[in-house]
Amino acid sequence: MKIRLEKPLLKSLALMASVIEARDAYTGGHLWRVSQYCRQLADAVGLTTEMVFLSKLGGVLHDIGKISIPDSVLGKPGNLTEPEYDVVKTHPGIGATLIQEHPLGDLALSAVHQHHEWVNGQGYPNGLSGEQISIIARIVSIADAFDALTSTRPYRCGVAATPAVEALKAEHGTQFDAFLLDAFIQMFQLDRLREIVGHSESGIPMVACPSCGPVITVSRDIKDGDIGYCRVCGSKHRLHRDGDTFAAEPTGEMGSADELKPQPETGSIEAFVSQAPLSVNI
C-alpha cells in the first residue's frame, strides 16, 4: 500500500516524540541519535531507500509510550523494583496505541510496539522471536540499546563506545539479530558512529555538567562565553569553547524556573521532515 507523506502530518507525528525529551532532562538527543544509528544500519545492510527512512522514523518515535511512565519511575536513580519494571514494560503497548490514532501512525507501529522484543523470544511485550519481529524493530532494538549504554541515565553514567559494543556482543543472537548486530559492529569498527555518539544533533556535542554529571544540551547557535543550564541539578554554567565542544564552568548560581524550562528540540525534526520521501510503500 502506497502512503503519501504529507509534510504537515509527518511533522505532527514526529513532534509527538519531542514531548519525551522535553520531559526528561537525561534523554536530550536520544531520539536523534537512535534515528541516526537506525539510518546508518538500515543503509549498511542494503535496505531500500524507503526502508531506510522508515527505520529512521522508528528511531524517532520508538519511545513515545514513555509519556505514560511516572516521573518517580522514569527518573529513579537506583534499580527498579519488579513492579516498577512492569510499569516500564507497558510503554511499547501504550506507544502503539497512541500512534495508531495518527493518520501516519502505521509507518512506525512495529518499531514502537516491538523494539523491546528479543530474537530468542525472551523480550516484551509479546514474546515474539526471530522474524516475527519486524526488521525495523530489530534495527531500533540495537540502536536503542547502544545509545542507552553510551548515555548518562539517572541510575548510572554512560560508558564509552568500545565497552558498549562489547556489551552488545554478549547478546549476539539472543537479544539482538545476529546479522544486524554484525553489521552494526562493523560500522563501529569503520568509525562511522563517532559523529553521533555524544551528540544531540548533527555537529552539536553534549556537554557534561561538572556539578552533577548528566549532560547539558546546547543549541546550534551557542557561542563561547554563553550561559548554559543543567535541568537535572539546576546549576548555571558559563560555556567555553573546547575544540569541537564546550566545557562548562560553574558560576555558583542556580537557574530560574524560566531558564530551566524544557525547550523541545524542533531543529532535528524539521531536518527529518525535509529529507523525507514523497511517499512510501508498506
Side-chain angles (χ1 to χ4, degrees), residues 193-242:
L193 308 180
R194 177 180 296 184
E195 295 184 359
I196 305 173
V197 176
H199 289 67
S200 59
E201 196 181 334
S202 179
I204 308 297
M206 306 292 280
V207 178
C209 172
S211 300
C212 70
V215 292
I216 300 169
T217 303
V218 299
S219 66
R220 182 170 294 280
D221 58 357
I222 198 78
K223 301 183 295 296
D224 187 80
D226 283 354
I227 295 295
Y229 305 91
C230 176
R231 285 181 49 217
V232 177
C233 69
S235 56
K236 191 173 182 178
H237 304 85
R238 191 167 299 281
L239 301 174
H240 299 287
R241 174 63 70 178
D242 184 14

mmCIF file of all heavy atoms in Angstrom, residues 193-242:
data_model
loop_
_atom_site.group_PDB
_atom_site.id
_atom_site.type_symbol
_atom_site.label_atom_id
_atom_site.label_comp_id
_atom_site.label_asym_id
_atom_site.label_seq_id
_atom_site.Cartn_x
_atom_site.Cartn_y
_atom_site.Cartn_z
ATOM 1 N N LEU A 193 30.382 5.857 13.714
ATOM 2 C CA LEU A 193 29.468 6.281 14.774
ATOM 3 C C LEU A 193 29.957 7.514 15.520
ATOM 4 O O LEU A 193 29.228 8.085 16.319
ATOM 5 C CB LEU A 193 29.265 5.141 15.784
ATOM 6 C CG LEU A 193 28.861 3.779 15.216
ATOM 7 C CD1 LEU A 193 28.703 2.772 16.344
ATOM 8 C CD2 LEU A 193 27.583 3.881 14.402
ATOM 9 N N ARG A 194 31.188 7.928 15.261
ATOM 10 C CA ARG A 194 31.822 8.980 16.060
ATOM 11 C C ARG A 194 31.024 10.272 16.074
ATOM 12 O O ARG A 194 30.929 10.939 17.111
ATOM 13 C CB ARG A 194 33.232 9.251 15.535
ATOM 14 C CG ARG A 194 33.927 10.388 16.277
ATOM 15 C CD ARG A 194 35.321 10.642 15.757
ATOM 16 N NE ARG A 194 36.207 9.515 15.980
ATOM 17 C CZ ARG A 194 37.501 9.522 15.691
ATOM 18 N NH1 ARG A 194 38.042 10.618 15.168
ATOM 19 N NH2 ARG A 194 38.259 8.471 15.906
ATOM 20 N N GLU A 195 30.449 10.667 14.953
ATOM 21 C CA GLU A 195 29.753 11.950 14.888
ATOM 22 C C GLU A 195 28.322 11.872 15.406
ATOM 23 O O GLU A 195 27.588 12.858 15.351
ATOM 24 C CB GLU A 195 29.785 12.475 13.451
ATOM 25 C CG GLU A 195 31.198 12.811 12.989
ATOM 26 C CD GLU A 195 31.236 13.415 11.603
ATOM 27 O OE1 GLU A 195 30.172 13.565 10.981
ATOM 28 O OE2 GLU A 195 32.339 13.753 11.144
ATOM 29 N N ILE A 196 27.941 10.690 15.920
ATOM 30 C CA ILE A 196 26.614 10.526 16.523
ATOM 31 C C ILE A 196 26.729 10.378 18.032
ATOM 32 O O ILE A 196 26.003 11.024 18.792
ATOM 33 C CB ILE A 196 25.885 9.301 15.929
ATOM 34 C CG1 ILE A 196 25.808 9.410 14.402
ATOM 35 C CG2 ILE A 196 24.486 9.172 16.531
ATOM 36 C CD1 ILE A 196 25.257 8.169 13.732
ATOM 37 N N VAL A 197 27.656 9.538 18.483
ATOM 38 C CA VAL A 197 27.831 9.306 19.920
ATOM 39 C C VAL A 197 28.110 10.637 20.630
ATOM 40 O O VAL A 197 28.956 11.423 20.205
ATOM 41 C CB VAL A 197 29.000 8.338 20.184
ATOM 42 C CG1 VAL A 197 29.229 8.173 21.685
ATOM 43 C CG2 VAL A 197 28.735 6.979 19.552
ATOM 44 N N GLY A 198 27.359 10.891 21.709
ATOM 45 C CA GLY A 198 27.606 12.090 22.498
ATOM 46 C C GLY A 198 27.136 13.383 21.875
ATOM 47 O O GLY A 198 27.535 14.468 22.305
ATOM 48 N N HIS A 199 26.279 13.305 20.857
ATOM 49 C CA HIS A 199 25.744 14.495 20.210
ATOM 50 C C HIS A 199 24.230 14.535 20.377
ATOM 51 O O HIS A 199 23.580 13.497 20.482
ATOM 52 C CB HIS A 199 26.097 14.515 18.716
ATOM 53 C CG HIS A 199 27.550 14.780 18.440
ATOM 54 N ND1 HIS A 199 28.539 13.885 18.784
ATOM 55 C CD2 HIS A 199 28.173 15.840 17.862
ATOM 56 C CE1 HIS A 199 29.717 14.385 18.419
ATOM 57 N NE2 HIS A 199 29.520 15.571 17.876
ATOM 58 N N SER A 200 23.673 15.734 20.370
ATOM 59 C CA SER A 200 22.221 15.877 20.444
ATOM 60 C C SER A 200 21.623 16.201 19.085
ATOM 61 O O SER A 200 20.403 16.165 18.908
ATOM 62 C CB SER A 200 21.842 16.981 21.438
ATOM 63 O OG SER A 200 22.410 18.213 21.049
ATOM 64 N N GLU A 201 22.478 16.514 18.138
ATOM 65 C CA GLU A 201 22.074 16.835 16.772
ATOM 66 C C GLU A 201 23.356 16.840 15.951
ATOM 67 O O GLU A 201 24.461 16.843 16.514
ATOM 68 C CB GLU A 201 21.388 18.212 16.745
ATOM 69 C CG GLU A 201 20.601 18.513 15.500
ATOM 70 C CD GLU A 201 19.966 19.897 15.536
ATOM 71 O OE1 GLU A 201 19.715 20.409 16.638
ATOM 72 O OE2 GLU A 201 19.737 20.456 14.449
ATOM 73 N N SER A 202 23.248 16.867 14.651
ATOM 74 C CA SER A 202 24.436 16.856 13.810
ATOM 75 C C SER A 202 25.339 18.048 14.128
ATOM 76 O O SER A 202 24.919 19.203 14.053
ATOM 77 C CB SER A 202 24.024 16.906 12.328
ATOM 78 O OG SER A 202 25.159 16.910 11.496
ATOM 79 N N GLY A 203 26.579 17.751 14.538
ATOM 80 C CA GLY A 203 27.543 18.793 14.850
ATOM 81 C C GLY A 203 27.358 19.455 16.198
ATOM 82 O O GLY A 203 28.072 20.411 16.515
ATOM 83 N N ILE A 204 26.414 18.963 17.017
ATOM 84 C CA ILE A 204 26.143 19.577 18.321
ATOM 85 C C ILE A 204 26.468 18.584 19.428
ATOM 86 O O ILE A 204 25.662 17.705 19.750
ATOM 87 C CB ILE A 204 24.666 20.015 18.448
ATOM 88 C CG1 ILE A 204 24.250 20.873 17.264
ATOM 89 C CG2 ILE A 204 24.452 20.745 19.763
ATOM 90 C CD1 ILE A 204 25.017 22.173 17.153
ATOM 91 N N PRO A 205 27.680 18.654 20.024
ATOM 92 C CA PRO A 205 28.051 17.712 21.087
ATOM 93 C C PRO A 205 27.348 18.029 22.391
ATOM 94 O O PRO A 205 27.012 19.182 22.675
ATOM 95 C CB PRO A 205 29.567 17.923 21.218
ATOM 96 C CG PRO A 205 29.774 19.347 20.801
ATOM 97 C CD PRO A 205 28.753 19.624 19.732
ATOM 98 N N MET A 206 27.118 16.990 23.184
ATOM 99 C CA MET A 206 26.584 17.176 24.526
ATOM 100 C C MET A 206 27.703 17.680 25.437
ATOM 101 O O MET A 206 28.884 17.400 25.203
ATOM 102 C CB MET A 206 26.043 15.860 25.070
ATOM 103 C CG MET A 206 25.031 15.172 24.167
ATOM 104 S SD MET A 206 23.480 16.063 24.027
ATOM 105 C CE MET A 206 22.690 15.575 25.562
ATOM 106 N N VAL A 207 27.347 18.415 26.488
ATOM 107 C CA VAL A 207 28.318 18.972 27.429
ATOM 108 C C VAL A 207 28.031 18.396 28.813
ATOM 109 O O VAL A 207 26.891 18.431 29.278
ATOM 110 C CB VAL A 207 28.227 20.510 27.465
ATOM 111 C CG1 VAL A 207 29.197 21.077 28.487
ATOM 112 C CG2 VAL A 207 28.506 21.086 26.077
ATOM 113 N N ALA A 208 29.070 17.864 29.465
ATOM 114 C CA ALA A 208 28.888 17.291 30.796
ATOM 115 C C ALA A 208 28.712 18.392 31.836
ATOM 116 O O ALA A 208 29.408 19.409 31.800
ATOM 117 C CB ALA A 208 30.080 16.420 31.165
ATOM 118 N N CYS A 209 27.785 18.187 32.750
ATOM 119 C CA CYS A 209 27.600 19.120 33.863
ATOM 120 C C CYS A 209 28.633 18.797 34.936
ATOM 121 O O CYS A 209 28.629 17.689 35.478
ATOM 122 C CB CYS A 209 26.187 18.988 34.435
ATOM 123 S SG CYS A 209 25.942 19.944 35.949
ATOM 124 N N PRO A 210 29.531 19.727 35.262
ATOM 125 C CA PRO A 210 30.548 19.452 36.280
ATOM 126 C C PRO A 210 29.979 19.353 37.692
ATOM 127 O O PRO A 210 30.641 18.876 38.603
ATOM 128 C CB PRO A 210 31.511 20.633 36.152
ATOM 129 C CG PRO A 210 30.692 21.734 35.582
ATOM 130 C CD PRO A 210 29.674 21.084 34.683
ATOM 131 N N SER A 211 28.751 19.787 37.882
ATOM 132 C CA SER A 211 28.147 19.764 39.212
ATOM 133 C C SER A 211 27.536 18.418 39.556
ATOM 134 O O SER A 211 27.600 17.958 40.695
ATOM 135 C CB SER A 211 27.077 20.853 39.326
ATOM 136 O OG SER A 211 27.639 22.131 39.112
ATOM 137 N N CYS A 212 26.900 17.760 38.556
ATOM 138 C CA CYS A 212 26.198 16.513 38.880
ATOM 139 C C CYS A 212 26.463 15.369 37.907
ATOM 140 O O CYS A 212 26.042 14.243 38.168
ATOM 141 C CB CYS A 212 24.691 16.765 38.993
ATOM 142 S SG CYS A 212 23.887 17.147 37.424
ATOM 143 N N GLY A 213 27.108 15.640 36.783
ATOM 144 C CA GLY A 213 27.461 14.552 35.875
ATOM 145 C C GLY A 213 26.620 14.434 34.627
ATOM 146 O O GLY A 213 27.158 14.165 33.550
ATOM 147 N N PRO A 214 25.294 14.597 34.700
ATOM 148 C CA PRO A 214 24.484 14.488 33.486
ATOM 149 C C PRO A 214 24.841 15.541 32.447
ATOM 150 O O PRO A 214 25.694 16.397 32.675
ATOM 151 C CB PRO A 214 23.056 14.674 33.997
ATOM 152 C CG PRO A 214 23.121 14.218 35.399
ATOM 153 C CD PRO A 214 24.458 14.669 35.895
ATOM 154 N N VAL A 215 24.178 15.472 31.339
ATOM 155 C CA VAL A 215 24.571 16.296 30.207
ATOM 156 C C VAL A 215 23.751 17.572 30.113
ATOM 157 O O VAL A 215 22.616 17.646 30.575
ATOM 158 C CB VAL A 215 24.425 15.503 28.891
ATOM 159 C CG1 VAL A 215 25.442 14.381 28.840
ATOM 160 C CG2 VAL A 215 23.022 14.948 28.753
ATOM 161 N N ILE A 216 24.368 18.564 29.494
ATOM 162 C CA ILE A 216 23.706 19.825 29.191
ATOM 163 C C ILE A 216 23.541 19.875 27.674
ATOM 164 O O ILE A 216 24.520 19.743 26.932
ATOM 165 C CB ILE A 216 24.548 21.028 29.655
ATOM 166 C CG1 ILE A 216 24.778 20.963 31.168
ATOM 167 C CG2 ILE A 216 23.892 22.341 29.257
ATOM 168 C CD1 ILE A 216 25.803 21.965 31.670
ATOM 169 N N THR A 217 22.325 20.028 27.204
ATOM 170 C CA THR A 217 22.088 20.141 25.774
ATOM 171 C C THR A 217 22.289 21.589 25.356
ATOM 172 O O THR A 217 21.717 22.495 25.965
ATOM 173 C CB THR A 217 20.654 19.702 25.426
ATOM 174 O OG1 THR A 217 20.449 18.370 25.894
ATOM 175 C CG2 THR A 217 20.428 19.730 23.930
ATOM 176 N N VAL A 218 23.117 21.794 24.344
ATOM 177 C CA VAL A 218 23.373 23.153 23.870
ATOM 178 C C VAL A 218 22.730 23.336 22.497
ATOM 179 O O VAL A 218 22.551 22.389 21.748
ATOM 180 C CB VAL A 218 24.889 23.459 23.798
ATOM 181 C CG1 VAL A 218 25.523 23.353 25.170
ATOM 182 C CG2 VAL A 218 25.593 22.527 22.818
ATOM 183 N N SER A 219 22.378 24.558 22.175
ATOM 184 C CA SER A 219 21.733 24.855 20.904
ATOM 185 C C SER A 219 22.780 25.064 19.822
ATOM 186 O O SER A 219 23.970 25.251 20.095
ATOM 187 C CB SER A 219 20.857 26.098 21.029
ATOM 188 O OG SER A 219 21.660 27.237 21.265
ATOM 189 N N ARG A 220 22.323 25.053 18.582
ATOM 190 C CA ARG A 220 23.230 25.201 17.446
ATOM 191 C C ARG A 220 23.901 26.569 17.419
ATOM 192 O O ARG A 220 25.024 26.707 16.928
ATOM 193 C CB ARG A 220 22.443 24.966 16.146
ATOM 194 C CG ARG A 220 23.291 25.054 14.886
ATOM 195 C CD ARG A 220 22.535 24.573 13.673
ATOM 196 N NE ARG A 220 22.235 23.156 13.763
ATOM 197 C CZ ARG A 220 23.107 22.193 13.481
ATOM 198 N NH1 ARG A 220 24.340 22.517 13.113
ATOM 199 N NH2 ARG A 220 22.769 20.944 13.573
ATOM 200 N N ASP A 221 23.232 27.587 17.959
ATOM 201 C CA ASP A 221 23.776 28.945 17.874
ATOM 202 C C ASP A 221 24.531 29.368 19.131
ATOM 203 O O ASP A 221 24.826 30.540 19.333
ATOM 204 C CB ASP A 221 22.657 29.952 17.582
ATOM 205 C CG ASP A 221 21.559 29.923 18.633
ATOM 206 O OD1 ASP A 221 21.634 29.095 19.563
ATOM 207 O OD2 ASP A 221 20.609 30.732 18.505
ATOM 208 N N ILE A 222 24.887 28.399 19.998
ATOM 209 C CA ILE A 222 25.622 28.728 21.220
ATOM 210 C C ILE A 222 26.996 29.286 20.872
ATOM 211 O O ILE A 222 27.642 28.840 19.914
ATOM 212 C CB ILE A 222 25.751 27.492 22.141
ATOM 213 C CG1 ILE A 222 26.104 27.898 23.577
ATOM 214 C CG2 ILE A 222 26.786 26.506 21.607
ATOM 215 C CD1 ILE A 222 24.937 28.399 24.343
ATOM 216 N N LYS A 223 27.461 30.277 21.646
ATOM 217 C CA LYS A 223 28.755 30.902 21.401
ATOM 218 C C LYS A 223 29.615 30.814 22.648
ATOM 219 O O LYS A 223 29.116 30.644 23.763
ATOM 220 C CB LYS A 223 28.578 32.368 20.997
ATOM 221 C CG LYS A 223 27.741 32.587 19.745
ATOM 222 C CD LYS A 223 27.659 34.052 19.366
ATOM 223 C CE LYS A 223 26.918 34.889 20.400
ATOM 224 N NZ LYS A 223 25.504 34.507 20.537
ATOM 225 N N ASP A 224 30.920 30.961 22.458
ATOM 226 C CA ASP A 224 31.857 30.943 23.577
ATOM 227 C C ASP A 224 31.471 32.022 24.586
ATOM 228 O O ASP A 224 31.253 33.192 24.220
ATOM 229 C CB ASP A 224 33.276 31.201 23.064
ATOM 230 C CG ASP A 224 34.308 31.021 24.158
ATOM 231 O OD1 ASP A 224 34.661 29.877 24.439
ATOM 232 O OD2 ASP A 224 34.724 32.047 24.753
ATOM 233 N N GLY A 225 31.359 31.610 25.855
ATOM 234 C CA GLY A 225 31.006 32.551 26.900
ATOM 235 C C GLY A 225 29.528 32.609 27.228
ATOM 236 O O GLY A 225 29.127 33.259 28.211
ATOM 237 N N ASP A 226 28.682 31.930 26.423
ATOM 238 C CA ASP A 226 27.250 31.924 26.711
ATOM 239 C C ASP A 226 26.958 31.106 27.974
ATOM 240 O O ASP A 226 27.786 30.313 28.425
ATOM 241 C CB ASP A 226 26.461 31.333 25.533
ATOM 242 C CG ASP A 226 26.309 32.313 24.380
ATOM 243 O OD1 ASP A 226 26.706 33.480 24.542
ATOM 244 O OD2 ASP A 226 25.811 31.905 23.314
ATOM 245 N N ILE A 227 25.769 31.287 28.496
ATOM 246 C CA ILE A 227 25.348 30.590 29.705
ATOM 247 C C ILE A 227 24.542 29.341 29.344
ATOM 248 O O ILE A 227 23.702 29.360 28.439
ATOM 249 C CB ILE A 227 24.505 31.507 30.610
ATOM 250 C CG1 ILE A 227 25.355 32.680 31.119
ATOM 251 C CG2 ILE A 227 23.907 30.731 31.776
ATOM 252 C CD1 ILE A 227 26.498 32.264 32.034
ATOM 253 N N GLY A 228 24.820 28.248 30.064
ATOM 254 C CA GLY A 228 24.054 27.020 29.912
ATOM 255 C C GLY A 228 23.497 26.598 31.259
ATOM 256 O O GLY A 228 23.998 27.004 32.315
ATOM 257 N N TYR A 229 22.456 25.786 31.221
ATOM 258 C CA TYR A 229 21.782 25.370 32.447
ATOM 259 C C TYR A 229 21.625 23.856 32.463
ATOM 260 O O TYR A 229 21.295 23.246 31.446
ATOM 261 C CB TYR A 229 20.404 26.027 32.548
ATOM 262 C CG TYR A 229 20.441 27.526 32.445
ATOM 263 C CD1 TYR A 229 20.322 28.155 31.210
ATOM 264 C CD2 TYR A 229 20.627 28.305 33.578
ATOM 265 C CE1 TYR A 229 20.373 29.535 31.108
ATOM 266 C CE2 TYR A 229 20.679 29.692 33.486
ATOM 267 C CZ TYR A 229 20.557 30.305 32.249
ATOM 268 O OH TYR A 229 20.619 31.666 32.148
ATOM 269 N N CYS A 230 21.861 23.271 33.624
ATOM 270 C CA CYS A 230 21.627 21.833 33.796
ATOM 271 C C CYS A 230 20.221 21.646 34.355
ATOM 272 O O CYS A 230 19.930 22.098 35.474
ATOM 273 C CB CYS A 230 22.656 21.218 34.743
ATOM 274 S SG CYS A 230 22.335 19.462 35.075
ATOM 275 N N ARG A 231 19.357 20.978 33.611
ATOM 276 C CA ARG A 231 17.979 20.787 34.049
ATOM 277 C C ARG A 231 17.866 19.721 35.140
ATOM 278 O O ARG A 231 16.806 19.553 35.729
ATOM 279 C CB ARG A 231 17.098 20.413 32.857
ATOM 280 C CG ARG A 231 16.780 21.593 31.934
ATOM 281 C CD ARG A 231 15.892 21.160 30.789
ATOM 282 N NE ARG A 231 14.751 20.398 31.268
ATOM 283 C CZ ARG A 231 14.233 19.348 30.618
ATOM 284 N NH1 ARG A 231 14.768 18.923 29.497
ATOM 285 N NH2 ARG A 231 13.192 18.719 31.119
ATOM 286 N N VAL A 232 18.954 18.983 35.398
ATOM 287 C CA VAL A 232 18.903 17.955 36.442
ATOM 288 C C VAL A 232 19.158 18.573 37.818
ATOM 289 O O VAL A 232 18.366 18.420 38.743
ATOM 290 C CB VAL A 232 19.901 16.824 36.150
ATOM 291 C CG1 VAL A 232 19.902 15.807 37.281
ATOM 292 C CG2 VAL A 232 19.567 16.143 34.824
ATOM 293 N N CYS A 233 20.293 19.289 37.958
ATOM 294 C CA CYS A 233 20.621 19.878 39.264
ATOM 295 C C CYS A 233 20.264 21.355 39.352
ATOM 296 O O CYS A 233 20.317 21.942 40.440
ATOM 297 C CB CYS A 233 22.099 19.675 39.583
ATOM 298 S SG CYS A 233 23.230 20.623 38.528
ATOM 299 N N GLY A 234 19.932 21.977 38.224
ATOM 300 C CA GLY A 234 19.521 23.375 38.225
ATOM 301 C C GLY A 234 20.655 24.378 38.196
ATOM 302 O O GLY A 234 20.418 25.589 38.241
ATOM 303 N N SER A 235 21.907 23.908 38.119
ATOM 304 C CA SER A 235 23.047 24.829 38.178
ATOM 305 C C SER A 235 23.252 25.584 36.869
ATOM 306 O O SER A 235 22.860 25.140 35.791
ATOM 307 C CB SER A 235 24.317 24.067 38.549
ATOM 308 O OG SER A 235 24.549 23.005 37.645
ATOM 309 N N LYS A 236 23.889 26.727 37.013
ATOM 310 C CA LYS A 236 24.129 27.654 35.910
ATOM 311 C C LYS A 236 25.618 27.618 35.566
ATOM 312 O O LYS A 236 26.467 27.644 36.458
ATOM 313 C CB LYS A 236 23.709 29.054 36.365
ATOM 314 C CG LYS A 236 23.636 30.125 35.327
ATOM 315 C CD LYS A 236 23.028 31.380 35.962
ATOM 316 C CE LYS A 236 22.874 32.517 34.979
ATOM 317 N NZ LYS A 236 22.230 33.691 35.615
ATOM 318 N N HIS A 237 25.958 27.549 34.283
ATOM 319 C CA HIS A 237 27.353 27.416 33.858
ATOM 320 C C HIS A 237 27.669 28.373 32.716
ATOM 321 O O HIS A 237 26.795 28.694 31.908
ATOM 322 C CB HIS A 237 27.642 25.988 33.380
ATOM 323 C CG HIS A 237 27.328 24.935 34.387
ATOM 324 N ND1 HIS A 237 26.067 24.405 34.545
ATOM 325 C CD2 HIS A 237 28.109 24.327 35.312
ATOM 326 C CE1 HIS A 237 26.082 23.505 35.512
ATOM 327 N NE2 HIS A 237 27.307 23.443 35.994
ATOM 328 N N ARG A 238 28.936 28.777 32.661
ATOM 329 C CA ARG A 238 29.413 29.520 31.502
ATOM 330 C C ARG A 238 30.123 28.523 30.589
ATOM 331 O O ARG A 238 30.958 27.736 31.038
ATOM 332 C CB ARG A 238 30.363 30.647 31.918
ATOM 333 C CG ARG A 238 30.666 31.607 30.763
ATOM 334 C CD ARG A 238 31.337 32.879 31.261
ATOM 335 N NE ARG A 238 30.498 33.623 32.196
ATOM 336 C CZ ARG A 238 29.487 34.402 31.829
ATOM 337 N NH1 ARG A 238 29.171 34.545 30.553
ATOM 338 N NH2 ARG A 238 28.792 35.052 32.747
ATOM 339 N N LEU A 239 29.776 28.545 29.315
ATOM 340 C CA LEU A 239 30.284 27.570 28.358
ATOM 341 C C LEU A 239 31.459 28.153 27.591
ATOM 342 O O LEU A 239 31.366 29.248 27.018
ATOM 343 C CB LEU A 239 29.173 27.153 27.398
ATOM 344 C CG LEU A 239 27.935 26.534 28.069
ATOM 345 C CD1 LEU A 239 26.825 26.297 27.047
ATOM 346 C CD2 LEU A 239 28.294 25.238 28.779
ATOM 347 N N HIS A 240 32.573 27.425 27.609
ATOM 348 C CA HIS A 240 33.790 27.863 26.918
ATOM 349 C C HIS A 240 34.132 26.875 25.807
ATOM 350 O O HIS A 240 34.115 25.655 26.023
ATOM 351 C CB HIS A 240 34.960 27.959 27.902
ATOM 352 C CG HIS A 240 34.736 28.942 29.006
ATOM 353 N ND1 HIS A 240 34.764 30.301 28.805
ATOM 354 C CD2 HIS A 240 34.457 28.752 30.334
ATOM 355 C CE1 HIS A 240 34.531 30.922 29.955
ATOM 356 N NE2 HIS A 240 34.338 30.003 30.886
ATOM 357 N N ARG A 241 34.421 27.408 24.643
ATOM 358 C CA ARG A 241 34.767 26.561 23.504
ATOM 359 C C ARG A 241 35.985 25.713 23.841
ATOM 360 O O ARG A 241 36.988 26.199 24.345
ATOM 361 C CB ARG A 241 35.043 27.431 22.283
ATOM 362 C CG ARG A 241 35.550 26.701 21.059
ATOM 363 C CD ARG A 241 34.550 25.703 20.505
ATOM 364 N NE ARG A 241 33.391 26.331 19.897
ATOM 365 C CZ ARG A 241 32.415 25.633 19.309
ATOM 366 N NH1 ARG A 241 32.464 24.304 19.299
ATOM 367 N NH2 ARG A 241 31.386 26.249 18.782
ATOM 368 N N ASP A 242 35.892 24.407 23.563
ATOM 369 C CA ASP A 242 36.981 23.456 23.824
ATOM 370 C C ASP A 242 37.055 22.502 22.645
ATOM 371 O O ASP A 242 36.440 21.442 22.644
ATOM 372 C CB ASP A 242 36.719 22.703 25.131
ATOM 373 C CG ASP A 242 37.854 21.762 25.507
ATOM 374 O OD1 ASP A 242 38.951 21.883 24.914
ATOM 375 O OD2 ASP A 242 37.642 20.893 26.372
#
